[in-house]
Amino acid sequence: MDLEMRVRPGIYVDDSGNPGTDSGSIHLSKTRKSWTAVIIPPSLARVCSQIMDIFLKGIKQDHCATELHFTDIFSGRGVWKKVDIEDRIKMFRLMASFVARMELPIVHVTTSQETLNDHSLFFKGIRLDSNQFWDISVPRFGFLRCCLEISEYAREMRAYGHPDFNDTLPMFADEGLAVAGSIIPLPNWGDVIYGPSVRFSRSQDVAGIQIADFAAFTISRTQWIVAQRRFGTPVSRSDEEFLRYGAELNVVNLPRVSVQKTHLSKEHLESILEQDRISKGLTSKPLKS
């Protein structure tokens, strides 16, 4: 296996690519940016590497594909355009089974302009150097929030004596926020993230980012399905399958909610998100600009 494509122990981050998309929920505005991180602990890195090697060799041989990009697979774009839908569904099933069986820790953070509005007094007191990479724009501040959540989880595991979190882990992120090859210092979290810094790379060059791509797409797709549903309507087979993928992910910073299929709806989602905001001392609905 190519050294670059080997899945090393580390933290792999991808975005959900959803800015400007109408989610159907007032709590997930068009300004939102979601970041998803998958942690590959040292104890699982070798197995993850072997599985991804088999997976990537298979799609290259069968479909001439150089990477697993799940938005393209789902939409049937690019090299996946002529691939039968059942074969494309198989890609999701295989990846879902792999990520669930490994119980890979996943962190998912969504930030929007409304997030900044919720804490406007705090941000008014911040003065940033214009030459610095990190600022309080939704994408960059959202990335830092993801780093914070990752670090809090890693410190908690370390406190419990989990050996996989004794040492720092390198962080890799899909290009976009910075060009591939950039290594950007982080302002904090040096006890958890090596450097502390994040290396931006092309997803086709880093197999771990492709795992994060699957998690990011699945979580966002699950949110979209629920936000579009009306109370009491039946759940289609395809939607139910995606909801199962999402339910099986080991998302460590989001609460688990048990709900009957017929109750799964936009109204139910809004109620959960409103209660979450209230529990954090915020207004029940996001503050608009």
Side-chain angles (χ1 to χ4, degrees):
M1 184 178 7
D2 187 279
L3 184 62
E4 281 291 315
M5 292 303 292
R6 186 177 64 193
V7 181
R8 300 166 50 191
I11 304 161
Y12 297 88
V13 187
D14 196 10
D15 70 279
S16 299
N18 50 18
T21 305
D22 187 357
S23 69
S25 168
I26 62 171
H27 297 277
L28 297 170
S29 81
K30 290 183 179 181
T31 67
R32 73 193 184 282
K33 180 76 171 181
S34 297
W35 293 101
T36 305
V38 174
I39 301 172
I40 307 293
S43 63
L44 298 177
R46 182 177 179 183
V47 174
C48 289
S49 196
Q50 291 171 340
I51 292 172
M52 286 299 290
D53 184 43
I54 294 170
F55 212 154
L56 292 170
K57 284 179 178 176
I59 64 168
K60 184 175 183 179
Q61 177 179 315
D62 296 341
H63 307 298
C64 297
T66 57
E67 68 171 314
L68 289 160
H69 191 263
F70 285 91
T71 299
D72 289 348
I73 297 172
F74 180 83
S75 304
R77 294 199 304 242
V79 297
W80 302 97
K81 185 175 183 179
K82 296 182 180 180
V83 178
D84 184 85
I85 189 169
E86 287 300 321
D87 287 337
R88 288 188 279 124
I89 290 172
K90 184 180 178 182
M91 298 296 103
F92 280 93
R93 288 176 179 163
L94 289 171
M95 183 61 84
S97 176
F98 155 51
V99 176
R101 286 177 180 273
M102 292 293 100
E103 296 185 337
L104 298 175
I106 297 167
V107 169
H108 181 81
V109 174
T110 297
T111 303
S112 65
Q113 183 58 49
E114 286 76 6
T115 308
L116 306 185
N117 295 343
D118 284 333
H119 306 281
S120 58
L121 290 178
F122 170 77
F123 290 114
K124 282 181 180 177
I126 295 179
R127 296 292 181 269
L128 295 175
D129 182 345
S130 60
N131 294 320
Q132 289 184 347
F133 179 83
W134 302 108
D135 56 31
I136 55 173
S137 62
V138 168
R140 297 189 182 193
F141 180 68
F143 192 96
L144 295 182
R145 288 186 66 219
C146 189
C147 292
L148 173 63
E149 294 279 350
I150 292 165
S151 297
E152 288 184 349
Y153 170 75
R155 289 165 185 162
E156 183 179 1
M157 291 298 100
R158 186 180 295 167
Y160 284 138
H162 198 304
D164 272 332
F165 296 90
N166 286 338
D167 299 318
T168 59
L169 291 171
M171 175 178 277
F172 305 88
D174 195 13
E175 63 178 340
L177 204 60
V179 298
S182 301
I183 300 176
I184 308 296
L186 292 167
N188 206 331
W189 313 299
D191 61 317
V192 171
I193 302 170
Y194 180 79
S197 62
V198 51
R199 183 185 187 99
F200 289 89
S201 306
R202 299 190 308 166
S203 58
Q204 68 185 71
D205 295 333
V206 181
I209 293 177
Q210 297 175 46
I211 302 174
D213 175 88
F214 169 78
F217 180 87
T218 300
I219 294 170
S220 292
R221 180 67 185 174
T222 299
Q223 290 175 337
W224 189 90
I225 290 171
V226 177
Q228 300 297 316
R229 284 184 48 76
R230 297 181 64 183
F231 185 86
T233 57
V235 182
S236 68
R237 289 179 60 187
S238 60
D239 282 354
E240 184 172 352
E241 184 158 349
F242 257 102
L243 291 169
R244 186 169 63 252
Y245 298 159
E248 291 175 350
L249 293 177
N250 181 27
V251 185
V252 299
N253 69 317
L254 296 181
R256 288 190 173 274
V257 178
S258 179
V259 59
Q260 296 180 13
K261 284 194 293 184
T262 53
H263 291 179
L264 201 62
S265 63
K266 173 183 176 179
E267 294 82 1
H268 189 75
L269 174 65
E270 302 289 51
S271 176
I272 291 172
L273 294 177
E274 281 190 12
Q275 291 303 313
D276 179 65
R277 288 180 59 84
I278 292 170
S279 71
K280 294 174 179 174
L282 301 172
T283 57
S284 61
K285 292 179 174 57
L287 299 174
K288 300 297 182 181
S289 298

